[in-house]
Amino acid sequence: MNLSTVLAASSTTPGVEDVDGLAGFMVDLMDRLGLLGAAIAVGLDNLFPPIPSEIVLPMAGFAASMGTFSLGGALFATTAGSVIGACLLYWLGRMFGRERTAWVFVHTPLLKLSDLEMTERWFAKHGTKAVFFGRMVPIFRSLISLPAGVERMRFWLFLVLTTVGSLIWNSIFVIAGYSLGEQWHRIEPYADWFQRLVILAVLVVVCWFVTVRVREIYRNRRDRPA
């Protein structure tokens, strides 16, 4: 019995919804391609944040518990997918470069070149921690590779931090899915709560930034001589 069939059967259990949409596509990848499918599914999460890796990873563990592939294979494939996806974004940021990034900051409303310079100073001081821990935070694990590339972080260092951080994060969900078996879906509410908390924090920071910058612009216009 393949993974899709088991998941379809489990959807009849109270409180368990059918797996469809993006998640269903990821399951189909693992069904058809095995470990390669698991690697592709997790790699795509790095490129397209809406893909629910917090669901895909436990499914990979569940598939390992069914014997579709080994637990070690699941950990290796999902981590490889994470690293490859992150490296693609790193090199994209590196090719985009600092000059183009500066142009974007200068020509984007509410942003200033000084914001980029402040970000660069922060990244120079905390970049290694940002890349490592960013691999364990929804949304940021997809985005953190871009500034690492723009700021030309040494690739070997980026690779090590990304690999270790991804292995830790993936192991939590893959092993949980492996241990829970057909009860893998019990992980989803906690992962969903964590992701919503991160999104809420981002929205608060963005609102604060916009409010401060709009007030600053208004104050400068008010104080400008007629």
Side-chain angles (χ1 to χ4, degrees):
M1 185 179 293
N2 60 26
L3 186 57
S4 298
T5 303
V6 174
L7 291 175
S10 67
S11 66
T12 60
T13 303
V16 182
E17 298 180 357
D18 191 16
V19 179
D20 53 10
L22 285 172
F25 174 69
M26 297 300 119
V27 171
D28 189 55
L29 273 178
M30 285 188 279
D31 259 345
R32 294 174 180 272
L33 303 178
L35 287 176
L36 178 60
I40 293 173
V42 178
L44 288 174
D45 167 60
N46 286 263
L47 301 176
F48 306 103
I51 292 177
S53 70
E54 288 81 9
I55 297 177
V56 175
L57 290 170
M59 286 180 180
F62 176 38
S65 72
M66 291 174 55
T68 305
F69 36 70
S70 68
L71 177 60
L75 292 173
F76 175 81
T78 54
T79 300
S82 295
V83 172
I84 292 172
C87 287
L88 289 175
L89 288 177
Y90 169 89
W91 287 108
L92 182 63
R94 189 150 181 162
M95 287 187 293
F96 192 73
R98 202 269 182 187
E99 290 185 6
R100 292 188 180 92
T101 304
W103 185 92
V104 171
F105 270 73
V106 170
H107 292 85
T108 300
L110 303 182
L111 292 181
K112 300 186 295 186
L113 187 59
S114 59
D115 296 326
L116 174 61
E117 294 169 345
M118 182 176 63
T119 302
E120 289 175 326
R121 289 193 296 271
W122 183 90
F123 200 86
K125 186 176 182 180
H126 304 288
T128 54
K129 290 180 285 188
V131 171
F132 176 73
F133 290 107
R135 300 305 307 167
M136 307 177 204
V137 181
I139 301 175
F140 285 96
R141 68 169 162 269
S142 298
L143 301 178
I144 193 61
S145 304
L146 288 170
V150 170
E151 294 302 317
R152 293 183 172 270
M153 171 182 276
R154 287 170 292 180
F155 181 66
W156 70 264
L157 178 60
F158 172 82
L159 188 62
V160 170
L161 294 170
T162 298
T163 301
V164 176
S166 298
L167 178 61
I168 294 173
W169 179 256
N170 292 355
S171 296
I172 293 172
F173 286 92
V174 171
I175 293 175
Y178 183 86
S179 301
L180 290 172
E182 293 189 17
Q183 298 298 312
W184 63 272
H185 57 272
R186 293 172 58 186
I187 304 169
E188 185 179 356
Y190 300 99
D192 188 53
W193 176 85
F194 183 44
Q195 183 167 349
R196 290 184 181 183
L197 183 63
V198 171
I199 293 173
L200 177 62
V202 171
L203 289 176
V204 169
V205 171
V206 170
C207 290
W208 173 82
F209 174 82
V210 171
T211 301
V212 170
R213 189 52 49 84
V214 169
R215 286 181 175 177
E216 180 182 322
I217 293 173
Y218 175 76
R219 187 166 50 250
N220 289 340
R221 288 179 177 177
R222 184 189 59 188
D223 297 339
R224 187 181 303 165

